[in-house]
Amino acid sequence: QVQLVESGGGLVQAGGSLRLSCAASGRTFSPYNMGWFRRAPGKERELVARITWSGGSTWYTDSVKGRFTISRDNAKNTVYLQMNSLKSEDTAVYYCASRVVGGSWDSWGQGTQVTVSS
């Protein structure tokens, strides 16, 4: 498994920006697809964005399209989530996760809190 540590969360006003980082260690980072999930209070965990191991393909849930950007730097074993135009409904604990190609999300970080004040 890959060990994942998120950082970059915090409190921001609506309309502001944050960049989350997820640093990976352990097994080789590059063959893993990476994803960002979030869990808002009283809601189930949802996949927000994912990126293939090469970085050549990305996917976003509809509610963040055009506002969030997922990227990765395999040389630094790090995946990022740039979040712009934040809304109060983006408030959640954000988690990064990894999976081998064709596998399940089986490695998770501890989460980082993002709070957007309106």
Side-chain angles (χ1 to χ4, degrees), residues 30-110:
S30 295
Y32 287 82
N33 292 339
M34 301 297 297
W36 283 99
F37 291 75
R38 66 185 179 189
R39 186 191 300 273
K43 295 187 178 181
E44 294 188 353
R45 184 178 63 198
E46 67 168 337
L47 177 62
V48 175
R50 64 173 185 253
I51 186 167
T52 56
W53 70 271
S54 67
S57 178
T58 58
W59 174 93
Y60 301 91
T61 193
D62 285 346
S63 61
V64 308
K65 284 181 180 177
R67 300 189 298 122
F68 289 13
T69 303
I70 188 171
S71 62
R72 66 190 294 166
D73 185 339
N74 288 343
K76 295 182 178 180
N77 291 344
T78 302
V79 62
Y80 305 98
L81 186 67
Q82 178 67 44
M83 305 185 295
N84 298 328
S85 302
L86 283 161
K87 306 175 181 179
S88 57
E89 50 263 46
D90 295 317
T91 294
V93 178
Y94 285 72
Y95 302 87
C96 69
S98 70
R99 66 179 184 182
V100 296
V101 176
S104 59
W105 300 102
D106 60 359
S107 293
W108 295 84
Q110 82 289 350

Side-chain angles (χ1 to χ4, degrees), residues 7-30:
S7 61
L11 174 64
V12 64
Q13 289 188 334
S17 298
L18 283 174
R19 189 176 81 154
L20 305 183
S21 299
C22 174
S25 61
R27 296 183 64 182
T28 305
F29 179 67
S30 295

